[in-house]
Amino acid sequence: MPNSKSPNHQSAQPCSPQAQQSQVVDAQLFDNQVCFPLYSAANAVTRAYRPLLDAIDLTYLQYMVMMLLWQHKQMNVKELGEQMYLDSGTLTPLLKRLEAKGFVERRRSELDERVRLISITEAGLELKFKAQSVPGELACKADMSPEQAMELKRLCQTLLANLGS
Amino acid sequence: MPNSKSPNHQSAQPCSPQAQQSQVVDAQLFDNQVCFPLYSAANAVTRAYRPLLDAIDLTYLQYMVMMLLWQHKQMNVKELGEQMYLDSGTLTPLLKRLEAKGFVERRRSELDERVRLISITEAGLELKFKAQSVPGELACKADMSPEQAMELKRLCQTLLANLGS
DNA sequence: ATGATTTGAATTGTGCACAATTTAAATTGT
DNA sequence: ACAATTTAAATTGTGCACAATTCAAATCAT
């Protein structure tokens, strides 16, 4: 067993289908889906952020990029992609839009011409203050206990890790 | 208190910011976000389904629609939208694509000409058998215990309900 | 009955996601 | 040194999401 990933659970139907549960669940029934509520909740979150972020002219994803840049000041596309589980196909146009709004600067690295360095601008830094109330307002809408929120986060991170890539 | 929705928790920062926690968390720090892992996990799920669904020429969302139609045989756009938390702007083109593939039929209701009835075709019904292994294969990739899966689902449904609409 | 309102879908336009491909620069192997 | 490979971004094309608008049919109000 040369793998650090040990658990190997089986939920609705087992991995090797020798089945025979007393509680037979129809895994092809819409209401028995686990991931669709996840999918819908993720959409609901971006919908809930939208009116809060409209005021500072950011989408939810752009807001997440800005959050990384408030912290790191400068990152390249690969680093952003690793943090956000996104590739250049998604990030390049998004970063161009942030550049057009004046919140980031996109220039080539001088050490490695392939690398595109994304750095925050003065206007981008100011956004951090304008966005101060956003987390609290969203937490209010979401109305989850800290325990529920942490558990949700933990489970999502586990799933994300298990699904790999 | 004329509201059935009672809890009103406050997580990262309280709704009315009179703050002062011993454990001060910076809600503007990327790593402290609760919803971004949710967002990333949802993307990872559709990514994980993709190779499984390619064989039957369905996207994840199309697969969810087919699941509803395997059960109900016929639904209108509004009913689909209520189940899936999506509107006609998303569903109409998706249903046209399913129609083009021959998995559903789209016709007007004769009782109410505004209503578009979506009914499953023979080919659409056959998909249910071809897709039999999909839930098990995904469960295997996800590798969550039944308890974890149920808890994740429950938390997502709570969040979805709290965020409303 | 008919004008006003409401309702169910469709349309339009913007912004993700992401597979697949392309481009150019850096690195590796001999 | 330089051909082959690898790597970082960008590009292309398809399919969601969703706000906003439009359109037509049904319902309501007088």
Side-chain angles (χ1 to χ4, degrees), chain B residues 11-38:
Chain B
S11 51
Q13 246 57 272
C15 292
S16 17
Q18 80 274 32
Q20 224 71 302
Q21 299 162 284
S22 56
Q23 249 289 62
V24 177
V25 292
D26 182 352
Q28 283 189 310
L29 211 54
F30 181 80
D31 286 328
N32 289 338
Q33 300 307 300
V34 170
C35 291
F36 196 72
L38 179 78

Side-chain angles (χ1 to χ4, degrees), chain A residues 8-28:
Chain A
N8 197 282
H9 300 111
Q10 54 268 72
S11 51
Q13 246 58 271
C15 292
S16 16
Q18 79 275 31
Q20 225 69 303
Q21 300 162 283
S22 57
Q23 250 289 62
V24 177
V25 294
D26 182 352
Q28 282 189 311

Side-chain angles (χ1 to χ4, degrees), chain A residues 39 43 47 50 76-78 88 92 96 106 114-116:
Chain A
Y39 186 91
N43 286 340
R47 228 168 12 232
R50 198 182 311 272
N76 63 44
V77 174
K78 193 194 176 191
S88 64
T92 296
K96 283 181 179 175
R106 297 167 65 244
R114 292 169 305 179
V115 172
R116 179 74 80 166

Side-chain angles (χ1 to χ4, degrees), chain B residues 86-101:
Chain B
L86 293 171
D87 66 8
S88 63
T90 301
L91 288 173
T92 297
L94 184 152
L95 293 169
K96 283 182 180 175
R97 282 188 284 270
L98 283 178
E99 183 184 38
K101 293 178 196 179

Side-chain angles (χ1 to χ4, degrees), chain A residues 50-68:
Chain A
R50 198 182 311 272
L52 309 178
L53 295 176
D54 273 353
I56 52 173
D57 194 23
L58 289 179
T59 66
Y60 177 57
L61 208 63
Q62 289 166 10
Y63 173 58
M64 287 300 106
V65 170
M66 292 312 296
M67 214 172 255
L68 280 168

Side-chain angles (χ1 to χ4, degrees), chain B residues 146-162:
Chain B
E147 293 73 26
Q148 284 178 311
M150 282 311 295
E151 179 69 0
L152 177 57
K153 180 176 180 173
R154 216 184 46 72
L155 287 168
C156 287
Q157 285 173 332
T158 299
L159 179 56
L160 197 50
N162 290 353

Side-chain angles (χ1 to χ4, degrees), chain A residues 5 8-9 11 13-15, chain B residues 135-144:
Chain A
K5 191 185 151 196
N8 197 282
H9 300 111
S11 51
Q13 246 58 271
C15 292
Chain B
E137 290 177 64
L138 192 96
C140 191
K141 286 192 190 194
D143 193 30
M144 307 279 276

